[in-house]
Amino acid sequence: MAAPGILPNRYVNGVPVPTSRKTLRMKEKYIILLVFITFGTVCFGAFMYLPDMRDRARVESLRGQFRDVIVPHHGGVGKIVHDNDGIDIHAINDKARLGQKIEMDMAERNRIVKVGQQLNMSKDDTLGFKQNIENDKERIRQQKKEEEDKKRQSEMEKLKEIKQEHPGGEGAQGGAPSEEDVLEKRNAVKEMMRHAWANYKKHAWGSNELRPISHRGHSASIFGTLNLGATIVDAADTLYIMEMMEEYKVARDWIAENLNFEGSSELSVFETNIRFVGGLLALYALTGDKMYKEKVVKIADKLLPAFNTPSGIPNSMVNVRTGGSRNWGWASGGCSILAEFGSFHLEFVYLSEITGNPIYKEKVDKIREVLNQIEKPDGLYPNYLNPKTGRWGQQHVAIGALGDSFYEYLIKSYVQSGNKDELAKKMYFDAVKAMEKKMLQKSKSGMVYLAEYKSGRLEHKMDHLGCFCGGMFALGAEYSDDKAKYMKLGADIAHTCHESYDRSATKLGPEAFRFDGQTEAKSIRQNEKYYILRPEVVETHFYMWRFTKEQKYRDWAWEAVNALNKNCKVDGGFTGIRDVYQEHGSQDDVQQSFFLAETLKYLYLTFSEDTVIPLNKWVFNTEAHPLPIQGANTVKEIES
């Protein structure tokens, strides 16, 4: 009989089974303890001896920034690369080189870590890679800076070559300010131009204008039925002045290869002249490129049939296919409009000068003759004139819409002639004195403005369009017998128009503002509260800065820059707004071509030295296209 607690040996399927329960339990405990010790040893060793992979993760993140660059095509123009913000083709090369550098560094780091593991390197040794990676990041930043410096140097060399090939007129480029803060502001305006141009190129290339919110082309009735690339022609001289040479080259090539008016129908004679004729003439004067002269002659010749009226006063619209012309139906019984037929002189005189063809100058001299001889009520020029009878239409006089650029072209014709066109000077000062007598007003708080004169009664309203006249008065003051008087008048108008901006929620001015009762420099009608990227206020700031050097004009211009970026900039360009008195209000989804031709150009020049487009060498047409002053600025023509 077995002893108590001891089981007899048994066999199950030939395998002996322990006979002691106590012995069985002890073995189970040893096995469990061994498992826990093994697991703890593995975890502790992994924590102490495996390399820290966090830095690798950070490098991998940096590495990912250089992947997935997409290169879409846009209209056969070439390749443009866009990441989140949009970059050019040169940026791809920079990213590729930096990406390759990081890949090489990663391979080297992996190799060292592997060797370190084989040599049983400590965790502290592995963590030392962190400082090495930071050093590499700094080296990459330095490398990028050096490459950017080389790129800028290359662009300057290219610019120098282009200037040698296309010498153009004096003061066409340059003018960088020495003050760092002013240079930063000028560069900020240049970035606005880059944003506006790049998005037009991306979304509306070849169209007349851009819809920056809906990302498509836009065209107004003034351009007829074809896509004429109005923004390209309007913007090209701004690109050149801003030394954006790659963008300018693309614009120049499109004009050379694609710009023509064949197949178009009715066009606004005035708008075609100030934008296309004026734009191409300015490009010719700035660069000396003969191609522009050849293009502009073809376009100007299509406008000439509009001048075939009994009085020689041109009609407003011309059909470029048939040669027929007509006036707007709403314009006082079929009349021509003063601001339109009065704004050909600068372009047509210069066109005759560079082509040797007198016909263009003869056309505008005829207009001048009619206006000089016709009787003027109270010395004023009404906005409407019948081209058939040569008589005034509705008795409505305004320095703003319908009248504005006629007065501007009188004083600028005198400037353009090298101070020889005495008739233009006399007509200008006679007109200004008549407006001073009948239309110049002062508000209760002392703000000066020019009211509209309608059949003997005043309407106390001033248009945004009329705000250009502050700069006009300052320009005319240089040739006046009473310079101080007209400089003060220019300053007074500049102040009033700035107030129209400052009194709005957006710090942008309305299309028209009034002085009625308690209202001063504010719009009270809904259809006058919009802002469509107009330039006239900043145009006056530009002239007042050039002539006075008072800091407030640069300050006001910078306020406008900030307001534009805050209220009008969208991801696809710049848009107008429908109510300047509402922050975050609705937008009109149109980037006007004159925003690139005028608004941004005047802002850029305000923050430039006077040596770029100096006013003793150049005179601006009403679309801000600079034309040379006779005898002061000669252009060396070169073959295309």
Side-chain angles (χ1 to χ4, degrees):
M1 188 173 181
I6 301 298
L7 297 177
N9 286 332
R10 293 185 294 116
Y11 290 84
V12 177
N13 296 327
V15 178
V17 177
T19 58
S20 172
R21 292 186 178 92
K22 183 176 182 180
T23 301
L24 181 61
R25 287 193 296 271
M26 289 296 292
K27 287 183 179 181
E28 290 174 348
K29 290 178 181 179
Y30 288 140
I31 291 171
I32 293 171
L33 178 60
L34 181 60
V35 169
F36 276 109
I37 291 172
T38 303
F39 180 75
T41 302
V42 170
C43 292
F44 180 80
F47 177 79
M48 291 300 297
Y49 296 107
L50 287 181
D52 189 344
M53 303 302 288
R54 288 174 296 179
D55 291 315
R56 176 183 175 88
R58 281 192 284 269
V59 175
E60 285 290 356
S61 175
L62 179 64
R63 197 174 169 188
Q65 296 177 22
F66 297 90
R67 296 181 181 146
D68 304 326
V69 180
I70 302 173
V71 187
H73 288 268
H74 295 279
V77 176
K79 294 183 179 180
I80 296 194
V81 181
H82 294 275
D83 54 18
N84 290 336
D85 296 320
I87 56 174
D88 61 22
I89 191 68
H90 299 290
I92 287 189
N93 297 330
D94 294 340
K95 280 197 170 185
R97 284 192 291 270
L98 292 176
Q100 291 170 1
K101 172 65 176 172
I102 290 175
E103 293 289 347
M104 292 171 63
D105 285 350
M106 281 295 302
E108 180 65 11
R109 292 292 168 270
N110 291 339
R111 185 185 70 80
I112 294 173
V113 169
K114 188 174 182 180
V115 171
Q117 290 173 337
Q118 293 172 350
L119 296 176
N120 295 321
M121 289 175 63
S122 69
K123 182 179 179 183
D124 289 340
D125 292 331
T126 306
L127 290 175
F129 288 132
K130 180 177 181 179
Q131 184 59 47
N132 291 338
I133 292 173
E134 292 300 323
N135 293 340
D136 283 347
K137 288 180 181 179
E138 179 60 32
R139 190 162 56 250
I140 290 170
R141 284 192 289 267
Q142 185 63 32
Q143 179 183 345
K144 182 177 180 181
K145 182 179 182 301
E146 291 173 358
E147 290 179 353
E148 289 175 348
D149 290 342
K150 290 179 181 178
K151 180 181 176 182
R152 280 193 293 269
Q153 182 63 31
S154 175
E155 289 176 346
M156 292 304 295
E157 291 174 358
K158 183 186 294 185
L159 177 59
K160 185 177 179 181
E161 292 175 3
I162 292 175
K163 285 181 176 180
Q164 289 174 346
E165 295 173 1
H166 304 273
E170 184 178 342
Q173 292 175 323
S178 57
E179 305 97 321
E180 185 175 346
D181 63 323
V182 180
L183 180 60
E184 288 177 357
K185 290 173 181 177
R186 188 171 93 146
N187 287 339
V189 176
K190 189 172 179 178
E191 285 306 309
M192 293 170 70
M193 182 68 182
R194 198 182 306 279
H195 181 69
W197 173 260
N199 279 285
Y200 166 79
K201 188 170 183 286
K202 179 179 180 181
H203 300 298
W205 187 246
S207 298
N208 289 315
E209 292 173 322
L210 164 69
R211 288 193 177 276
I213 298 174
S214 52
H215 294 177
R216 58 191 175 90
H218 166 76
S219 188
S221 61
I222 58 174
F223 300 116
T225 56
L226 293 185
N227 287 327
L228 302 172
T231 294
I232 301 175
V233 179
D234 246 354
D237 63 348
T238 306
L239 294 171
Y240 188 85
I241 291 168
M242 290 185 178
E243 301 179 23
M244 298 172 62
M245 301 313 295
E246 292 185 11
E247 293 87 345
Y248 163 74
K249 182 66 165 55
V250 172
R252 189 260 176 211
D253 290 347
W254 187 92
I255 292 170
E257 297 167 10
N258 298 284
L259 180 63
N260 72 80
F261 279 49
E262 302 303 326
S264 187
S265 55
E266 274 195 325
L267 297 170
S268 164
V269 182
F270 163 72
E271 296 288 356
T272 302
N273 177 63
I274 65 171
R275 301 186 197 219
F276 291 90
V277 176
L280 294 171
L281 287 173
L283 288 165
Y284 172 77
L286 291 167
T287 68
D289 191 337
K290 186 179 179 181
M291 178 273 294
Y292 294 121
K293 183 172 73 173
E294 294 170 346
K295 287 283 184 179
V296 74
V297 168
K298 293 178 181 179
I299 295 173
D301 285 350
K302 292 186 178 297
L303 303 182
L304 292 179
F307 292 78
N308 297 332
T309 65
S311 66
I313 300 296
N315 285 320
S316 295
M317 303 290 290
V318 64
N319 189 310
V320 297
R321 284 203 302 264
T322 67
S325 65
R326 66 178 179 88
N327 275 328
W328 303 105
W330 52 263
S332 188
C335 284
S336 298
I337 298 169
L338 180 68
E340 294 191 345
F341 67 77
S343 303
F344 287 92
H345 211 93
L346 297 180
E347 296 86 358
F348 275 40
V349 165
Y350 184 51
L351 190 53
S352 282
E353 180 184 332
I354 64 175
T355 62
N357 186 346
I359 188 170
Y360 310 108
K361 187 175 185 299
E362 289 171 358
K363 295 295 185 183
V364 292
D365 283 345
K366 178 61 176 177
I367 296 173
R368 176 75 56 76
E369 177 186 337
V370 170
L371 292 175
N372 183 48
Q373 293 180 354
I374 192 173
E375 183 179 354
K376 291 167 276 292
D378 295 315
L380 298 170
Y381 289 83
N383 291 337
Y384 301 103
L385 184 65
N386 191 306
K388 296 178 180 178
T389 65
R391 295 179 180 176
W392 298 114
Q394 181 182 356
Q395 301 294 296
H396 177 201
V397 182
I399 194 66
L402 307 179
D404 51 7
S405 50
F406 162 69
Y407 306 99
E408 174 187 2
Y409 271 42
L410 288 176
I411 188 59
K412 288 184 175 179
S413 292
Y414 177 70
V415 175
Q416 182 192 41
S417 71
N419 305 345
K420 296 176 182 177
D421 189 346
E422 292 292 340
L423 177 59
K425 178 182 177 182
K426 181 180 184 303
M427 291 174 67
Y428 168 76
F429 281 108
D430 286 348
V432 168
K433 290 174 182 176
M435 286 189 290
E436 285 182 88
K437 184 177 180 180
K438 292 291 184 179
M439 300 162 61
L440 190 63
Q441 301 291 306
K442 183 176 288 189
S443 73
K444 293 179 180 178
S445 68
M447 279 190 281
V448 173
Y449 62 98
L450 283 162
E452 295 189 9
Y453 190 75
K454 293 183 175 180
S455 301
R457 299 183 62 183
L458 290 179
E459 183 178 6
H460 293 271
K461 163 199 161 192
M462 193 167 175
D463 291 340
H464 192 292
L465 285 164
C467 284
F468 86 95
C469 72
M472 180 187 73
F473 292 139
L475 177 64
E478 297 293 305
Y479 310 99
S480 167
D481 294 333
D482 195 345
K483 180 176 179 178
K485 171 186 174 182
Y486 288 108
M487 284 302 302
K488 185 178 185 306
L489 180 56
D492 288 342
I493 295 294
H495 170 74
T496 297
C497 291
H498 174 256
E499 284 294 309
S500 76
Y501 274 50
D502 201 44
R503 298 182 180 207
S504 76
T506 59
K507 302 304 178 183
L508 294 167
E511 182 70 1
F513 50 92
R514 295 177 179 268
F515 298 86
D516 293 332
Q518 300 301 313
T519 299
E520 290 192 341
K522 291 190 70 173
S523 177
I524 57 177
R525 301 183 183 182
Q526 190 59 43
N527 64 352
E528 297 174 347
K529 294 181 179 181
Y530 61 89
Y531 172 73
I532 55 173
L533 307 175
R534 287 203 186 275
E536 290 78 19
V537 172
V538 297
E539 176 183 352
T540 280
H541 296 341
F542 160 71
Y543 278 105
M544 294 305 299
W545 164 255
R546 280 282 176 101
F547 288 121
T548 71
K549 292 297 182 289
E550 291 185 34
Q551 180 60 36
K552 67 180 179 182
Y553 297 114
R554 274 186 166 172
D555 293 342
W556 292 351
W558 185 241
E559 288 174 8
V561 169
N562 290 329
L564 284 164
N565 281 323
K566 179 179 179 181
N567 299 285
C568 301
K569 185 178 182 181
V570 293
D571 67 333
F574 287 85
T575 175
I577 55 179
R578 292 193 170 91
D579 190 341
V580 298
Y581 302 105
Q582 288 186 8
E583 290 190 89
H584 313 297
S586 62
Q587 299 167 314
D588 67 11
D589 194 20
V590 178
Q591 181 175 280
Q592 305 280 349
S593 77
F594 57 67
F595 177 66
L596 291 81
E598 300 183 72
T599 310
L600 293 179
K601 184 183 288 145
Y602 283 128
L603 287 169
Y604 178 84
L605 292 175
T606 301
F607 298 109
S608 299
E609 295 297 318
D610 295 359
T611 54
V612 58
I613 315 296
L615 296 181
N616 62 345
K617 304 288 183 182
W618 299 91
V619 61
F620 291 99
N621 86 335
T622 196
E623 193 80 359
H625 295 308
L627 302 176
I629 294 175
Q630 294 174 7
N633 195 352
T634 57
V635 177
K636 180 181 178 182
E637 183 179 290
I638 54 96
E639 293 292 332
S640 302

